[in-house]
Amino acid sequence: MTLSLNQKAALLSLLLLAVGLLVWEAAIPGQKPLSEMTEYERLTGGGAQKAGVPPPSQVIAKAWEQLSNPFYDAGPNDKGIGIQIGYSIYRVLTGYALAAIVALPLGFLIGMSPAAYRALNPFIQVLRPISPLAWMPLALFIIQDSEASAIFVIFICSIWPMLINTAFGVAGVRSDWVNVARTHELGPLKTAFTVILPAAAPTIITGMRISIGIAWLVIVAAEMLVGGTGIGYYVWNEWNNLDLTSVIFSILMIGVVGMLLDSAFGALQRAVAYAE
């Protein structure tokens, strides 16, 4: 039986995963059993569990424990991984939606008007390179709310890729198509929605895809600063508890959620592919 390219890739991925887990497991030294220790080692605390990188078997056990009841709530500092991820996704999507509301219309304006581009470009070039977390102290001081400040940081980091890609996609629409629309006496609004938007959609979605990836990266760091709830706070709290198994598990969950968000926009990008 001949395997397809996707099947071969999947098998190779599983093989690499299995090899990586085996190497990881073998690289972690085992804890010496208490029965095999000398009396001196027992008296000096040699049997006490030492902090160290856990083997994958412990991480898998932790994942099973957490994912079997992901939405438990036992107090402010003890919530399930599902609740923590839910808080983070809520903040990301709220800040991201606000950024889209601003970036997409403004990007259309910049892309369709050279004068608007020249007027706004200096502001974009000054604000775009600033690290989103550099805005956090100012946001906390002005807004005086950690939740709203985290959402603002997501807003400010999400807006630039969407704005720039929208402007680039709109400006790159072939002038012939716009001229045909004018020949058919289409108004500016109808031309924007029936000609420019379909042609620029792949580039716009690319910017949105980049933005969601950056937003997910930033929210983890922001939650480490502001605390309270969220997957970033969960990682920091488990580190303070010296529970490296939970830290590694949460890191893997961050990666899985990020992959799912990117895959969703990847599917959307394929759906709006524009054929000339």
Side-chain angles (χ1 to χ4, degrees):
M1 185 179 71
T2 304
L3 297 177
S4 67
L5 180 60
N6 289 338
Q7 291 173 328
K8 291 178 181 178
L11 288 175
L12 181 58
S13 294
L14 292 174
L15 178 62
L16 291 173
L17 176 62
V19 171
L21 291 176
L22 288 173
V23 171
W24 179 7
E25 186 80 33
I28 305 300
Q31 188 74 17
K32 192 174 184 181
L34 191 62
S35 58
E36 298 179 4
M37 302 182 71
T38 66
E39 186 176 353
Y40 175 77
E41 288 176 320
R42 296 177 192 175
L43 290 173
T44 56
Q49 184 71 34
K50 295 186 173 92
V53 177
S57 55
Q58 290 185 16
V59 177
I60 292 171
K62 174 62 71 173
W64 177 263
E65 174 192 335
Q66 291 289 326
L67 295 177
S68 61
N69 186 19
F71 298 106
Y72 77 88
D73 189 348
N77 293 323
D78 190 10
K79 299 181 188 296
I81 190 70
I83 293 177
Q84 304 287 15
I85 291 175
Y87 275 108
S88 296
I89 291 177
Y90 162 74
R91 291 170 185 140
V92 166
L93 294 183
T94 302
Y96 184 84
L98 293 173
I101 290 171
V102 174
L104 298 183
L106 190 58
F108 255 86
L109 174 64
I110 294 173
M112 297 181 70
S113 171
Y117 170 78
R118 294 191 180 188
L120 294 173
N121 188 55
F123 299 101
I124 295 172
Q125 297 308 320
V126 168
L127 296 174
R128 183 174 60 89
I130 299 173
S131 169
L133 293 180
W135 293 97
M136 181 60 80
L138 186 62
L140 287 170
F141 179 79
I142 295 175
I143 302 173
Q144 296 184 0
D145 181 81
S146 59
E147 179 89 7
S149 297
I151 291 173
F152 171 77
V153 168
I154 296 304
F155 166 82
I156 205 70
C157 79
S158 300
I159 195 170
W160 308 118
M162 280 192 278
L163 176 64
I164 293 169
N165 273 51
T166 300
F168 178 78
V170 170
V173 174
R174 288 172 54 177
S175 58
D176 293 346
W177 297 343
V178 179
N179 291 334
V180 169
R182 288 173 180 167
T183 302
H184 286 80
E185 298 182 349
L186 297 181
L189 196 60
K190 194 168 184 179
T191 300
F193 279 99
T194 60
V195 178
I196 296 175
L197 181 58
T203 306
I204 295 172
I205 298 299
T206 299
M208 297 177 72
R209 187 177 182 180
I210 294 171
S211 288
I212 197 68
I214 295 173
W216 186 244
L217 285 172
V218 169
I219 193 59
V220 174
E223 288 171 345
M224 286 183 178
L225 292 176
V226 300
T229 53
I231 189 64
Y233 171 73
Y234 179 87
V235 174
W236 191 248
N237 191 48
E238 295 303 326
W239 161 247
N240 288 331
N241 295 332
L242 293 180
D243 188 351
L244 292 181
T245 305
S246 294
V247 169
I248 293 175
F249 163 68
S250 56
I251 289 172
L252 294 175
M253 290 303 300
I254 290 169
V256 169
V257 174
M259 179 186 70
L260 293 176
L261 290 172
D262 183 75
S263 298
F265 276 89
L268 180 60
Q269 192 174 19
R270 290 189 293 273
V272 301
Y274 187 75
E276 297 187 14

